[in-house]
Coordinates of all heavy atoms in Angstrom, one line a residue:
A1 N 0.8 -1.2 -0.1 CA 0.0 0.0 0.0 C 0.9 1.3 0.0 O 0.3 2.3 -0.2 CB -0.9 0.0 1.2
E2 N 2.2 1.2 0.2 CA 3.0 2.3 0.3 C 3.7 2.6 -1.0 O 4.5 3.4 -1.1 CB 4.1 2.1 1.4 CG 3.4 2.1 2.9 CD 4.5 1.9 3.9 OE1 5.2 0.9 3.8 OE2 4.5 2.6 4.9
V3 N 3.4 1.7 -2.0 CA 4.0 1.9 -3.3 C 3.1 2.6 -4.3 O 1.8 2.2 -4.3 CB 4.4 0.5 -3.9 CG1 4.9 0.6 -5.3 CG2 5.5 -0.1 -3.0
E4 N 3.6 3.6 -5.0 CA 2.8 4.3 -6.0 C 3.5 4.0 -7.3 O 4.6 3.9 -7.5 CB 2.8 5.8 -5.7 CG 2.2 6.2 -4.4 CD 2.3 7.7 -4.2 OE1 3.2 8.4 -4.8 OE2 1.6 8.2 -3.4
Y5 N 2.7 3.9 -8.4 CA 3.2 3.5 -9.7 C 3.2 4.8 -10.6 O 2.3 5.6 -10.6 CB 2.4 2.5 -10.4 CG 2.8 1.1 -9.8 CD1 2.1 0.6 -8.7 CD2 3.7 0.3 -10.5 CE1 2.5 -0.6 -8.1 CE2 4.1 -1.0 -10.0 CZ 3.5 -1.4 -8.8 OH 3.8 -2.6 -8.2
G6 N 4.3 5.1 -11.4 CA 4.5 6.2 -12.2 C 5.4 5.9 -13.3 O 6.0 4.8 -13.4
D7 N 5.4 6.7 -14.3 CA 6.2 6.5 -15.5 C 7.6 6.5 -15.1 O 8.2 7.3 -14.3 CB 6.0 7.6 -16.6 CG 4.6 7.4 -17.1 OD1 4.0 6.3 -17.1 OD2 4.0 8.4 -17.7
H8 N 8.4 5.6 -15.7 CA 9.9 5.5 -15.5 C 10.6 4.9 -16.7 O 10.0 4.1 -17.4 CB 10.2 4.6 -14.3 CG 11.6 4.4 -13.9 ND1 12.3 5.4 -13.3 CD2 12.5 3.4 -14.0 CE1 13.5 5.0 -13.1 NE2 13.7 3.8 -13.5
T9 N 11.7 5.5 -17.1 CA 12.5 4.9 -18.2 C 13.6 4.0 -17.8 O 14.4 4.4 -16.8 CB 13.1 6.1 -19.0 OG1 12.1 7.0 -19.5 CG2 13.9 5.6 -20.2
S10 N 13.6 2.8 -18.3 CA 14.6 1.8 -17.9 C 15.4 1.3 -19.1 O 14.8 1.4 -20.3 CB 13.9 0.6 -17.3 OG 13.2 1.0 -16.1
P11 N 16.6 0.8 -18.9 CA 17.2 0.1 -20.0 C 16.5 -1.2 -20.3 O 16.1 -1.9 -19.5 CB 18.6 0.0 -19.5 CG 18.6 0.0 -17.9 CD 17.3 0.9 -17.7
S12 N 16.5 -1.6 -21.6 CA 15.9 -2.8 -22.0 C 17.1 -3.6 -22.8 O 17.6 -3.0 -23.8 CB 14.7 -2.6 -22.9 OG 14.4 -3.7 -23.6
I13 N 17.5 -4.7 -22.4 CA 18.6 -5.4 -22.9 C 18.3 -6.9 -23.2 O 17.5 -7.5 -22.4 CB 19.9 -5.3 -21.9 CG1 19.6 -6.0 -20.6 CG2 20.2 -3.8 -21.8 CD1 20.9 -6.1 -19.8
F14 N 18.8 -7.4 -24.2 CA 18.8 -8.8 -24.5 C 20.3 -9.3 -24.3 O 21.2 -8.8 -24.8 CB 18.3 -9.0 -25.9 CG 16.9 -8.8 -26.1 CD1 16.4 -7.4 -26.4 CD2 15.9 -9.8 -26.0 CE1 15.1 -7.1 -26.5 CE2 14.6 -9.5 -26.3 CZ 14.1 -8.1 -26.5
V15 N 20.4 -10.5 -23.5 CA 21.7 -11.0 -23.2 C 21.7 -12.5 -23.5 O 20.7 -13.2 -23.4 CB 21.9 -10.8 -21.7 CG1 23.3 -11.3 -21.3 CG2 21.8 -9.3 -21.3
R16 N 22.9 -12.9 -23.9 CA 23.0 -14.3 -24.3 C 23.9 -15.0 -23.1 O 24.9 -14.5 -22.8 CB 23.7 -14.5 -25.6 CG 25.2 -14.2 -25.7 CD 25.7 -14.4 -27.1 NE 27.1 -14.3 -27.3 CZ 27.8 -14.4 -28.4 NH1 27.2 -14.7 -29.5 NH2 29.1 -14.3 -28.4
F17 N 23.4 -16.1 -22.6 CA 24.1 -17.0 -21.7 C 24.6 -18.2 -22.4 O 23.9 -18.9 -23.1 CB 23.2 -17.5 -20.6 CG 22.8 -16.4 -19.6 CD1 22.3 -15.1 -20.0 CD2 22.9 -16.7 -18.2 CE1 21.9 -14.2 -19.0 CE2 22.6 -15.7 -17.3 CZ 22.1 -14.6 -17.7
A18 N 25.9 -18.5 -22.3 CA 26.5 -19.6 -22.9 C 25.8 -20.9 -22.4 O 25.7 -21.1 -21.2 CB 28.0 -19.7 -22.7
L19 N 25.4 -21.7 -23.4 CA 24.7 -23.1 -23.0 C 25.6 -24.2 -23.5 O 25.2 -25.0 -24.4 CB 23.3 -23.0 -23.7 CG 22.3 -24.2 -23.3 CD1 22.2 -24.3 -21.8 CD2 21.1 -24.0 -24.1
N20 N 26.7 -24.3 -22.9 CA 27.8 -25.3 -23.3 C 27.7 -26.6 -22.5 O 28.7 -27.1 -22.2 CB 29.2 -24.8 -23.2 CG 29.4 -24.1 -21.9 OD1 28.7 -24.2 -20.9 ND2 30.7 -23.5 -21.7
D21 N 26.4 -26.9 -22.4 CA 26.1 -28.3 -21.7 C 26.1 -29.3 -22.7 O 25.2 -29.3 -23.7 CB 24.9 -28.1 -20.9 CG 24.6 -29.4 -20.0 OD1 25.1 -30.5 -20.3 OD2 23.8 -29.1 -19.0
A22 N 26.9 -30.4 -22.6 CA 26.9 -31.5 -23.5 C 25.6 -32.2 -23.8 O 25.3 -32.7 -24.8 CB 27.9 -32.6 -23.1
A23 N 24.8 -32.1 -22.7 CA 23.5 -32.7 -22.7 C 22.5 -32.0 -23.7 O 21.5 -32.6 -24.1 CB 22.8 -32.7 -21.3
L24 N 22.8 -30.8 -24.1 CA 22.0 -30.1 -25.2 C 21.9 -30.8 -26.4 O 20.7 -31.0 -26.9 CB 22.5 -28.7 -25.3 CG 21.8 -27.9 -26.4 CD1 20.4 -27.6 -26.0 CD2 22.6 -26.6 -26.7
A25 N 22.9 -31.4 -26.8 CA 22.9 -32.2 -28.0 C 21.9 -33.5 -28.0 O 21.4 -33.9 -29.0 CB 24.3 -32.7 -28.4
Q26 N 21.7 -34.0 -26.7 CA 21.0 -35.1 -26.5 C 19.4 -34.6 -26.5 O 18.6 -35.4 -27.0 CB 21.2 -35.8 -25.2 CG 22.7 -36.3 -25.1 CD 23.0 -36.7 -23.7 OE1 22.2 -36.9 -22.8 NE2 24.3 -37.1 -23.5
R27 N 19.2 -33.6 -26.0 CA 17.8 -33.0 -26.0 C 17.4 -32.5 -27.5 O 16.2 -32.5 -27.8 CB 17.7 -31.8 -25.0 CG 18.4 -32.1 -23.7 CD 17.5 -33.0 -22.8 NE 18.2 -33.2 -21.5 CZ 18.0 -32.6 -20.4 NH1 17.2 -31.5 -20.4 NH2 18.8 -32.8 -19.2
I28 N 18.3 -31.8 -28.1 CA 18.1 -31.3 -29.4 C 19.1 -31.8 -30.4 O 20.2 -31.2 -30.5 CB 18.0 -29.7 -29.5 CG1 17.0 -29.2 -28.5 CG2 17.8 -29.1 -30.9 CD1 16.8 -27.7 -28.4
P29 N 18.8 -32.8 -31.2 CA 19.9 -33.2 -32.1 C 20.4 -32.2 -33.1 O 19.5 -31.4 -33.6 CB 19.1 -34.4 -32.9 CG 18.0 -34.8 -31.9 CD 17.7 -33.6 -31.1
G30 N 21.6 -32.1 -33.4 CA 22.1 -31.0 -34.2 C 22.6 -30.0 -33.5 O 23.4 -29.0 -34.0
A31 N 22.4 -29.8 -32.2 CA 22.9 -28.8 -31.3 C 24.4 -28.8 -31.1 O 25.0 -29.9 -31.0 CB 22.2 -28.7 -29.9
D32 N 25.1 -27.7 -31.1 CA 26.5 -27.7 -30.9 C 26.8 -26.8 -29.6 O 26.8 -25.6 -29.6 CB 27.3 -27.1 -32.0 CG 28.8 -27.0 -31.8 OD1 29.3 -27.4 -30.8 OD2 29.5 -26.6 -32.8
P33 N 27.0 -27.6 -28.5 CA 27.1 -26.8 -27.3 C 28.2 -25.9 -27.2 O 28.2 -24.9 -26.4 CB 27.3 -28.0 -26.1 CG 26.7 -29.1 -26.8 CD 27.0 -29.0 -28.2

């Protein structure tokens, strides 16, 4: 109840996380971890 909402400008970012798990190729054939 103590929070008020108002306009705010924030950075919007897309980030990649390395997915170098060998099991990925077992879940999706053709994947290169």
